[in-house]
Amino acid sequence: MKKNILVSLAASAAFMTMTATTAMAYDKNPPFKLDKLTPYVTTDEEGKTVRGFEPKNDYNVFVNYELGMHCVGFSMDYCCVIPPYNSIQAQAIKGGKEGMLPKLLSPNDDVKLYYYTRDNSYSEGNKMRYFNVPKDVDGDGHFDSPNDSVANYVWSHLFIYKDLEGTKPKGATDKDRLRVGRDLPIKIDCGPTNMPISGGYLEYAGKHGGNIVFSDTLVPAVKDVKLVLTASYLWDALGLPLTAFNDSRRKGTIRSVTETDFQPFQYSTVELHDRSGKAKHTTDGKTVSYFGTNPVDIPNCYSCHSRNGKAAQMARDEGLHLSDKEYNYWKSYPDESEYMARLAEGSINILSLHDAHHGTQFLKDFKEDASSNRLGKVGLVNCTDCHGDNVSGNLKEPRATASGYKAVHAKPLSEAIHGFHLGMVPMPDGAGRSQACQACHPTHFQNSNMNDDSNPFRVTDRYGEGRFSKGDIRTSGGGCYVRRDAHSNPNAKPPFFLNNYGKWQYKNVSTKDEHGKPTKELRGLYCTNCHTKVAQGFQNYDNIIHDSTQEGKSLRNKSLKEMIKVIAGGDSKRFAALADPKSTGDNEVLMYYLDHKSPTLVKNVGKKGKLDLKPWNHPTGGEVPYAAASGGNDWWLSASEPHCADCHLAPFVESETGGKYFPIDLPNKYSLFRYSKAHGNIACQSCHESTHGLYSTRYDGKERSVDVTTHQQALQYSPDGKYTGPVTCATCHTVNEKGVPLQLKDTKYANDYWAAVTLAHFMRDGDQKLSVEGLVKKYPYKKSADIVTKGWK
């Protein structure tokens, strides 16, 4: 017995030593070569030769879109869930040639950025019905006022008093409000701030952000809430009405659109110009021009809501036949495609069911033979007139500027749509994960030949029936996320910089198939692994003092046992059900929406019914939840959105403690990824690309990839013409043979690429002004190397 114990102890010690040795022996080399870069040789202050490589480009322009994918209709004759809204955002950097520091450019550098979208110069007409669709904007009961159109109507809850800098003149009252669309009409093919889709110059948002508008809340006394639509230090063309249709492919009328016309990953191009408008050129004479991905696609409502779809059949069973009449009407046009006829049928089917089940009267003035305005005096049905929606800044419900029907206070838009559909059509795959997420959200590929039922990766058939009921939904694909994003890329390689929750997801989800068995390649995460009660629990628990070090109160840097104790009362099975929710059994995917507790927005310390609002973490006062102030509750705000910090170790977390963009985020909480900045005020999205489309995107070849655009975008900054991961130091800095900036020579960081990457993520605004000695002292090499070791997988 004694001998066995000694042997066991010796084996355990050997295993621990082996594990520690293996963990510490991570590869310090970069995951790319530098053979496409120009060599650089100089001498330092001591006369020693210093060798390195120049940054690839004289200038870099990083182009992205803050939402990752805009899911929107293009035919607004019947209803609008979310209006068209694609922003082109960019940052420009002058490369650090010859060992110099790179420079983030602003208008103070006598530059401006010109933008356009490749082969997509217009929308209204044979690509979109929006600007010319009538709707009573001014509420006079008629459609004959000059600006009575849907494009003006859907934004009229937003207003300014003077400018887009949030200025409210002294003494200004409600009568002085200038409402978007009503008092500030929107031009055709322009966004709500009248930035044109056809090209122009991006606006620059400085230290405090830009495009600041006002909105009202559900609390009558709390008005004029500022919404900062553009994050700080970004160039932006806001809310463009972009479609997924290219100029060269769109022939004929809008009635002839088919699914093969969709090109959901648009190439938005940004050129660097001087103040006079003359294009800047590189040393080899080329125009400084870069493209980024602007994703836009249409939700798949028509699959279930037309022809043999489940919702269409349900309507017929209930005696509702207007949608069939709608289909037949449009099929009488010789150029009407099957897709467009079904799209119209689906819209009427949705409105019919809504009228029947919720007592609305959207179709009370329906005109069966009208060639336009078929809903009559009701006009387009704007879902956010009744359902609050934070993503469009509609905090008040019913919406104050609604017309055509009686608007009421209804559930938040996200909760209403997701809650209803996940209850009616849970669509579990072989593992119990809901196929509905991917079935409803856009699923088009960039290759038009993949946009029909012959595509083996398509989630549903043409009538909305799931194809992966016995398989793994993660092996399907198309559109928003699946088979696109870094998190669903089977070729993703460590380091992943995972915290204990991230390691749980890696072990129990990413590396397991639909039967719970280990896989040879990564399956990755699904939508429901990020949008969870666990993510909300982390955010609600936080009271952090510093983002990159997670000082203060946080679960994110704790053991898995501590996480389970707080999130699930110590019940590991319950925790697993929340972390990897299924649409079978208790349908935790559905309960994520229906069983949701709104977090505290502010505290009220006022007495005798008066308001005196303090931050959410004020030691006294009554709690005011998001739901009391916003018709959208906290959906699509920081409190309900997943965060990098959920799964990743600090400093690989959002780099903004909230409050700067209140009420979208809160002080002492993590803000959103799209607002975050790292060293030198570089946006996280500049180096990692946009949410749901993060580098490295999955690439199955030009013909089979969902999103070819983002893959090609990454190659613009690649040091070897092959690497397509997050933007590297070598893109902007002169680097050594390890890919580490020469500024870090003579430090331990100089020989360790991954530790240097960790250092870059530690850095916050102001750190770039420190001396190298001061920087390394503030963020010691050992600390960074330990994080690489701890978070490799």
Side-chain angles (χ1 to χ4, degrees), residues 133-138 142-143 145 147-151 153-154 373 377-382 385 399 402-405:
V133 175
K135 184 67 178 177
D136 182 14
V137 176
D138 55 15
H142 305 284
F143 295 158
S145 298
N147 297 314
D148 277 348
S149 76
V150 169
Y153 178 81
V154 296
N373 193 28
K377 61 185 178 182
V378 171
L380 163 129
V381 176
N382 185 40
D385 282 345
R399 202 172 74 111
S403 68
Y405 37 74

Side-chain angles (χ1 to χ4, degrees), residues 11 34 121 200 240 331 337 341 394 444 471 489 509 596 641 660 729 750 784:
L34 302 168
S121 62
L240 307 179
K331 287 298 286 185
S337 68
N394 181 32
H444 291 112
N489 184 356
V509 178
H596 174 64
E641 290 296 86
K660 186 175 180 180
C729 307
S784 294

Side-chain angles (χ1 to χ4, degrees), residues 444-638:
H444 291 112
F445 282 58
Q446 194 73 341
N447 178 2
S448 60
N449 295 325
M450 300 285 276
N451 290 329
D452 60 33
D453 280 358
S454 66
N455 180 355
F457 306 116
R458 193 154 187 169
V459 184
T460 68
D461 65 17
R462 69 187 65 187
Y463 300 116
E465 292 292 339
R467 287 173 158 179
F468 291 82
S469 299
K470 294 183 179 180
D472 189 339
I473 185 62
R474 295 171 297 173
T475 62
S476 70
C480 261
Y481 171 79
V482 176
R483 212 173 185 86
R484 180 188 176 210
D485 187 87
H487 296 90
S488 60
N489 184 356
N491 295 315
K493 299 291 189 298
F496 299 138
F497 299 110
L498 299 176
N499 64 16
N500 288 316
Y501 180 61
K503 289 177 180 178
W504 186 96
Q505 289 284 356
Y506 178 82
K507 178 182 178 181
N508 294 283
V509 178
S510 291
T511 56
K512 297 288 181 65
D513 66 12
E514 66 271 27
H515 305 296
K517 296 181 179 180
T519 56
K520 293 182 179 180
E521 65 176 17
L522 284 174
R523 288 287 173 90
L525 302 176
Y526 190 53
C527 315
T528 51
N529 295 119
C530 293
H531 296 269
T532 65
K533 288 184 178 179
V534 174
Q536 293 170 349
F538 285 157
Q539 184 76 354
N540 294 340
Y541 186 89
D542 275 349
N543 191 355
I544 55 175
I545 299 170
H546 192 276
D547 46 71
S548 72
T549 59
Q550 290 183 336
E551 297 170 57
K553 179 185 174 185
S554 183
L555 272 179
R556 304 173 194 272
N557 52 14
K558 299 296 190 295
S559 67
L560 186 63
K561 183 178 180 180
E562 290 174 280
M563 293 177 180
I564 295 173
K565 181 179 179 181
V566 174
I567 300 294
D571 186 339
S572 58
K573 289 186 178 179
R574 174 63 178 158
F575 182 82
L578 299 178
D580 187 18
K582 306 299 195 322
S583 57
T584 51
D586 294 333
N587 198 344
E588 287 295 343
V589 181
L590 171 64
M591 297 313 295
Y592 169 70
Y593 291 97
L594 299 188
D595 183 25
H596 174 64
K597 182 180 178 181
S598 181
T600 301
L601 174 64
V602 290
K603 293 255 187 92
N604 181 28
V605 298
K607 305 296 183 182
K608 297 181 179 180
K610 293 184 178 180
L611 286 180
D612 185 2
L613 303 178
K614 302 295 181 183
W616 71 273
N617 55 357
H618 193 271
T620 63
E623 295 184 353
V624 180
Y626 270 99
S630 168
N633 201 335
D634 61 314
W635 298 111
W636 308 117
L637 295 173
S638 288

Side-chain angles (χ1 to χ4, degrees), residues 81-83 154-155 157-158 215 227 384 388-395:
V81 180
I82 300 174
V154 296
W155 296 111
H157 57 280
L158 301 176
S215 190
L227 301 177
T384 60
D389 173 44
N390 300 311
V391 76
S392 62
N394 181 32
L395 312 182

